[in-house]
């Protein structure tokens, strides 16, 4: 967060008290610069047009492990595209995700659906090589963790 004038941490309403406690703890260690706030964001009801004024100064969005189920992947993609479109001219997204195997009843993974939406509006670039299970831990066995940079297409 170095160099940022303000940072917004978002999650569902049920997680805001936890985020606020963590912000308070971090202020005790790191000081008060930048200004950090907790903001409720429900992907399925987010309206980028209504939030446009608040989003215009957005330069960077960081998301990690947000694509984990069918009900979340498409709403998240729509939110991120909306935020990037409304953000500053150079707005970008750093996105880290664990590649999960497709559900046996499905032909594509949730990440594939997510990136199909993102590629319609954004340029997507892999920043990290793929880390196999042996490289990190048994926790991600048979999966890969990847970091992606996403920028809107002007």
């Amino acid at each position: 967060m170095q160099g940022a004038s303000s940072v917004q941490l978002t999650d569902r309403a049920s997680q805001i008290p936890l985020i606020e406690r963590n912000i308070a703890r971090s202020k005790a260690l790191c000081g008060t610069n930048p200004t950090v706030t907790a903001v409720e964001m429900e992907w399925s009801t987010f309206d980028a047009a209504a939030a446009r004024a608040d989003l215009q100064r957005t330069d960077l969005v960081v998301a990690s492990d947000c694509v984990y189920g069918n009900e979340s992947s498409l709403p998240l993609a729509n939110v991120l595209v909306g935020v990037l479109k409304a953000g500053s001219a150079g707005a970008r997204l750093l996105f880290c995700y664990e590649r999960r195997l497709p559900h046996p009843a499905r032909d594509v993974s949730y990440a594939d659906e997510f990136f199909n939406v993102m590629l319609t509006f954004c340029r997507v670039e892999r920043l990290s090589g793929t880390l196999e299970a042996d490289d990190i831990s048994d926790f991600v066995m048979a999966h890969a963790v990847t970091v992606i940079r996403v920028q809107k297409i002007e």
Side-chain angles (χ1 to χ4, degrees):
M1 291 191 284
Q2 206 169 32
S5 60
S6 65
V7 175
Q8 290 185 339
L9 304 175
T10 64
D11 211 323
R12 293 180 172 179
S14 62
Q15 299 304 310
I16 297 301
L18 174 62
I19 293 172
E20 289 173 337
R21 284 194 303 274
N22 287 334
I23 290 170
R25 288 182 186 132
S26 295
K27 281 182 183 177
L29 297 172
C30 303
T32 58
N33 200 6
T35 302
V36 180
T37 55
V39 179
E40 178 185 345
M41 181 181 286
E42 187 65 46
W43 299 338
S44 62
T45 59
F46 180 75
D47 182 357
R52 188 170 200 77
D54 292 334
L55 297 173
Q56 287 178 343
R57 295 184 340 179
T58 300
D59 295 317
L60 176 66
V61 177
V62 179
S64 180
D65 201 26
C66 294
V67 176
Y68 44 80
N70 187 37
E71 66 283 348
S72 66
S73 60
L74 295 179
L76 173 62
N78 290 325
V79 165
L80 293 173
V81 166
V83 169
L84 290 174
K85 282 182 167 183
S88 69
R92 62 199 184 285
L93 161 68
L94 291 178
F95 187 82
C96 180
Y97 73 100
E98 178 184 346
R99 180 97 175 145
R100 292 172 171 86
L101 299 175
H103 186 280
R106 300 168 49 86
D107 293 332
V108 296
S109 74
Y110 303 125
D112 291 338
E113 291 177 343
F114 172 83
F115 284 113
N116 283 336
V117 172
M118 297 303 289
L119 285 167
T120 303
F121 301 99
C122 303
R123 185 173 56 248
V124 178
E125 169 189 10
R126 184 190 326 232
L127 293 181
S128 67
T130 300
L131 300 176
E132 299 301 331
D134 292 341
D135 297 328
I136 16 183
S137 72
D138 292 337
F139 176 74
V140 291
M141 188 169 63
H143 303 296
V145 175
T146 305
V147 178
I148 302 291
R149 177 174 45 213
V150 179
Q151 293 180 292
K152 61 184 172 183
I153 297 172
E154 299 292 336

